[in-house]
Amino acid sequence: MRAAVWRKLIPVVFSTQNPSVLRNFQRGMSQDNSVVRLKYYDRKDAFLEDSIKVKNPFALFNDWLELAQKTPGVEEPTTAALATVGADGKPSNRFLLVKDFTPEGPIFLTNFSSRKAEDITANPNVAVSFYWLPLRRSVRIEGVAEKISDAESVKYFKHRPRTAQIAANTSPQSQAITSRKYLEDIQAGIQKKLGEDTEVPLPNWGGYLVRPYAIEFWQGQTDRLHDRIRFRKGAGVESEVDGKIVHKGEDGWVYERLAP
């Protein structure tokens, strides 16, 4: 969207209760974003197939995540966007923290009455995207989400701070409410009931495991010939291996380069 259009919209988007935020945003939109270009990697630093030591996307993801965790400017490397599609066919996307990375796939936690949980019940196919700007790298995961066991959900819940456990019992996630005070009153009631020592009960809450069938690794190139290497797994994919476009990976995976 052009800057001129945004300048007309921002009084609606931003409350005038914080005029400094509005002024800073207007200054930022004074340039034409169509010509904004970040510097990415040079050709000599291209992401090549030969650089992948283990042709398994989980091993490669762990390498990229470990680097992200050590890179200044990447504040929460496990932040990801989770995309779902509901029974009505409408997509929904939100950011969350992925809490674990298992040999089977990533795990995230949520209230089972949330919109994302309702979407997954209707359509378990989801997409999870990570983006680490300082590294100019992104990972896209497509897979099927399924609930983890109750025992595993309890384990994750008990590792949360007590305040977060109480918050999970407080919030009817994704439901419309009257005010913030509504939540604060419920929170206060739970705190009073439990005191300081009583164990916080597990609410309608738990984890989902995403079993990937496709994982794409993206690295930005300054000349816009970005590198994209996708791993796929599933029935029949290994029969597609031709050694030219589709290559045999490890543990039942195949991989291929995609045009940017």
Side-chain angles (χ1 to χ4, degrees):
M1 187 177 291
R2 294 185 179 276
V5 177
W6 268 109
R7 281 194 291 272
K8 292 179 181 178
L9 289 177
I10 52 180
V12 178
V13 178
F14 289 96
S15 169
T16 54
Q17 291 177 347
N18 194 339
S20 63
V21 172
L22 184 59
R23 285 195 300 272
N24 290 337
F25 189 83
Q26 287 173 320
R27 286 194 208 101
M29 293 307 298
S30 63
Q31 63 182 15
D32 184 354
N33 283 328
S34 67
V35 299
V36 173
R37 290 290 184 268
L38 289 175
K39 179 175 175 55
Y40 292 95
Y41 286 89
D42 294 324
R43 186 165 296 185
K44 64 182 176 63
D45 299 313
F47 172 42
L48 302 177
E49 290 83 345
D50 290 345
S51 70
I52 305 174
K53 298 176 183 178
V54 180
K55 300 299 193 291
N56 178 307
F58 290 112
L60 181 57
F61 178 84
N62 287 335
D63 288 344
W64 281 27
L65 177 61
E66 184 177 348
L67 180 60
Q69 291 170 330
K70 297 177 180 178
T71 300
V74 181
E75 300 298 333
E76 289 189 315
T78 61
T79 300
L82 171 71
T84 58
V85 177
D88 57 3
K90 295 179 179 178
S92 179
N93 200 8
R94 76 287 289 161
F95 287 100
L96 47 70
L97 292 179
V98 174
K99 286 300 182 182
D100 203 357
F101 300 88
T102 74
E104 298 175 290
I107 290 175
F108 65 90
L109 308 166
T110 189
N111 186 303
F112 289 141
S113 296
S114 66
R115 178 173 178 180
K116 68 178 80 67
E118 292 180 351
D119 284 357
I120 290 170
T121 298
N123 181 354
N125 291 285
V126 303
V128 182
S129 298
F130 298 83
Y131 183 51
W132 303 301
L133 176 60
L135 291 173
R136 310 304 197 255
R137 284 178 170 179
S138 175
V139 179
R140 296 172 54 202
I141 299 174
E142 298 173 15
V144 178
E146 62 183 50
K147 285 183 179 180
I148 62 177
S149 69
D150 292 343
E152 289 177 293
S153 289
V154 169
K155 180 187 71 173
Y156 285 115
F157 186 73
K158 288 186 175 180
H159 276 89
R160 291 165 67 90
R162 185 176 178 85
T163 53
Q165 293 178 359
I166 291 175
N169 277 270
T170 298
S171 177
Q173 192 173 352
S174 300
Q175 305 302 311
I177 58 175
T178 56
S179 64
R180 179 178 178 83
K181 186 177 184 302
Y182 171 82
L183 292 176
E184 292 173 345
D185 289 344
I186 295 176
Q187 180 187 52
I190 293 173
Q191 291 172 330
K192 182 177 180 180
K193 179 180 178 180
L194 295 178
E196 297 183 0
D197 301 319
T198 304
E199 185 176 288
V200 181
L202 178 72
N204 186 31
W205 180 99
Y208 283 95
L209 165 70
V210 178
R211 293 188 183 275
Y213 48 73
I215 303 179
E216 180 186 324
F217 296 84
W218 178 96
Q219 179 174 287
Q221 292 292 125
T222 297
D223 62 6
R224 269 25 190 191
L225 293 181
H226 305 308
D227 291 309
R228 298 173 62 190
I229 296 178
R230 178 178 65 184
F231 285 80
R232 293 185 291 121
K233 188 175 187 178
V237 297
E238 289 186 281
S239 66
E240 300 176 30
V241 173
D242 58 13
K244 295 181 179 180
I245 294 178
V246 182
H247 305 273
K248 183 176 177 58
E250 300 182 24
D251 303 317
W253 291 91
V254 302
Y255 63 97
E256 59 210 346
R257 177 172 288 269
L258 303 179

